[in-house]
């Protein structure tokens, strides 16, 4: 039994005429008739009843027609998936990431480790996590590197850790903890705190508030910022404390330090996400790199 036999049989069933079926298949009528006969012999049954005016399907022929169409559909799907796989292999994997200092160093390391023949395109996102997530959901990005707290509202995704991290405290040079190597939540309970804007970072704010609640205090919030520049400005203005994850704590200079909050939960790291079920050679290579790095 061949696919060609099934194609010829479907054509005969459609046109109910051997001559028109042969013409539609660009084959001679004797060749088509011979193929149908061979199919009947292989199946050990009569599929067609031939009359002087038309061709009718037998009960066995009805079943054969249904199954033949299903087989050919599956063949078409097979060919389409193979073509898509070939196209995915040629197309670069679009990886979005936000501007973070520690992440920038990781991206440089990742780029140096990329294997030949598996192209990646790293697309820098200067906007906030919500903007990057919208691009990811819309299919404009194949994978996205983002803070762990930002993935809480996403569904049908798979992920791998890039960095596991406690929360970090952002301190201005005049702050009494500036020269410390670390700090605890209890020590921050009476400090003026600068939060991220709930409107722009609701998941991050929720994670921070949960952290404070579990530590047994209500934060004394003196300001909110939409971007890191806003947060550091407010930290300096109020001589307060801002918050960041290690993966995003690029602030470390003569004026600002980022130090770990040692008793905070390790829920402020960095993850790489992609849509569940997505497969490609580039994505598999990326996952290997992330788990081995």
């Amino acid at each position: 039994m061949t696919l060609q036999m099934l194609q010829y049989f479907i054509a005969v069933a459609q046109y109910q005429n051997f001559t028109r079926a042969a013409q539609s298949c660009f084959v001679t009528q004797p060749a088509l008739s011979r193929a149908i006969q061979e199919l009947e012999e292989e199946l050990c049954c009569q599929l067609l009843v031939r009359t002087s005016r038309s061709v009718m399907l037998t009960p066995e022929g009805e079943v054969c027609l249904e199954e033949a169409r299903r087989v050919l559909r599956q063949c078409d799907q097979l060919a389409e998936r193979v073509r898509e796989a070939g196209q995915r292999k040629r197309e670069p994997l679009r990886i979005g990431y936000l501007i973070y200092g520690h992440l920038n160093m990781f991206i440089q390391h990742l780029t140096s480790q990329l294997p030949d023949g598996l192209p990646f395109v790293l697309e820098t996102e200067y906007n906030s996590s919500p903007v990057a997530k919208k691009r990811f959901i819309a299919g404009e990005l194949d994978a996205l590197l983002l803070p762990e707290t930002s993935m809480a509202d996403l569904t049908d995704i798979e992920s791998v850790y890039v960095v596991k991290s406690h929360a970090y405290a952002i301190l201005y040079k005049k702050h009494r903890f500036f020269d410390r190597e670390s700090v605890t939540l209890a020590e921050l309970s009476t400090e003026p705190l600068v939060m991220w804007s709930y409107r722009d970072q609701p998941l991050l704010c929720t994670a921070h508030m949960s952290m404070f609640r579990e530590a047994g205090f209500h934060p004394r919030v003196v300001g909110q910022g939409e971007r890191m520049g806003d947060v550091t400005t407010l930290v300096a203005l109020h001589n307060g404390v801002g918050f960041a994850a290690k993966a995003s704590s690029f602030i470390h200079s003569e004026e600002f330090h980022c130090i770990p909050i040692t008793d905070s939960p390790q829920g402020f790291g960095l993850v790489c996400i992609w849509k569940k079920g997505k497969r490609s050679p580039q994505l598999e290579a990326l996952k290997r790199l992330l788990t081995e790095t």
Side-chain angles (χ1 to χ4, degrees):
M1 184 187 305
T2 65
L3 293 178
Q4 189 176 67
M5 288 180 181
L6 297 180
Q7 290 170 337
Y8 290 171
F9 174 72
I10 291 172
V12 173
Q14 178 181 349
Y15 290 101
Q16 298 183 350
N17 183 282
F18 273 78
T19 300
R20 290 199 297 272
Q23 291 172 348
S24 71
C25 294
F26 303 99
V27 67
T28 64
Q29 182 176 331
L32 182 139
S33 297
R34 188 163 52 252
I36 297 298
Q37 183 180 357
E38 292 176 0
L39 180 61
E40 289 180 322
E41 291 175 354
E42 185 171 345
L43 294 174
C44 301
C45 65
Q46 184 179 2
L47 301 175
L48 302 166
V49 176
R50 302 161 179 81
T51 67
S52 58
R53 293 186 177 182
S54 64
V55 178
M56 302 292 292
L57 291 172
T58 66
E60 295 89 344
E62 295 281 358
V63 174
C64 184
L65 177 61
E66 180 182 348
E67 293 300 317
R69 285 172 171 167
R70 182 180 61 82
V71 168
L72 292 182
R73 282 197 302 270
Q74 289 178 334
C75 289
D76 290 340
Q77 292 170 359
L78 182 149
E80 181 64 24
R81 291 186 65 183
V82 170
R83 284 193 294 269
E84 288 177 355
Q87 184 66 22
R88 287 197 301 269
K89 186 172 182 179
R90 291 188 293 272
E91 291 180 350
L93 191 73
R94 298 162 300 174
I95 308 170
Y97 72 101
L98 306 178
I99 287 292
Y100 293 145
H102 286 273
L103 178 54
N104 291 346
M105 290 185 287
F106 173 80
I107 290 295
Q108 292 174 7
H109 173 72
L110 177 64
T111 303
S112 68
Q113 301 296 314
L114 296 182
D116 294 334
L118 292 172
F120 293 76
V121 173
L122 298 169
E123 298 193 11
T124 305
E125 288 289 340
Y126 292 94
N127 293 301
S128 62
S129 294
V131 175
K133 286 195 294 185
K134 286 181 181 179
R135 292 195 62 205
F136 172 77
I137 294 170
E140 297 175 15
L141 297 170
D142 300 303
L144 181 60
L145 292 158
L146 78 169
E148 182 181 354
T149 54
S150 298
M151 63 180 284
D153 61 343
L154 294 173
T155 58
D156 296 324
I157 61 168
E158 298 178 41
S159 64
V160 63
Y161 271 104
V162 177
V163 178
K164 291 188 177 181
S165 176
H166 295 287
Y168 271 56
I170 303 173
L171 304 169
Y172 185 54
K173 62 182 180 181
K174 294 182 179 179
H175 198 280
R176 61 194 178 104
F177 295 150
F178 184 77
D179 294 323
R180 294 270 297 272
E181 294 295 324
S182 64
V183 70
T184 66
L185 283 167
E187 291 174 310
L188 300 180
S189 61
T190 59
E191 295 294 319
L193 304 182
V194 177
M195 304 291 290
W196 290 86
S197 168
Y198 185 85
R199 182 187 63 185
D200 296 297
Q201 299 284 358
L203 298 176
L204 180 60
C205 289
T206 299
H208 283 150
M209 293 302 292
S210 176
M211 176 179 72
F212 301 141
R213 184 169 57 253
E214 291 178 7
F217 71 92
H218 187 79
R220 182 162 68 93
V221 179
V222 295
Q224 294 183 340
E226 296 180 3
R227 300 289 185 271
M228 183 61 78
D230 304 331
V231 172
T232 54
T233 298
L234 290 169
V235 165
L237 179 64
H238 296 281
N239 196 24
V241 179
F243 296 94
K246 181 178 181 180
S248 62
S249 57
F250 65 90
I251 303 299
H252 200 82
S253 63
E254 292 183 357
E255 292 194 329
F256 293 95
H257 278 179
C258 258
I259 60 174
I261 306 172
T262 54
D263 56 347
S264 64
Q266 276 201 329
F268 297 91
L270 182 75
V271 293
C272 180
I273 64 170
W274 57 91
K275 292 183 179 177
K276 184 177 293 185
K278 184 177 180 62
R279 298 290 182 268
S280 73
Q282 298 95 318
L283 182 57
E284 295 304 315
L286 175 64
K287 287 190 282 186
R288 286 195 299 271
L289 286 172
L290 292 176
T291 54
E292 294 170 0
T293 301

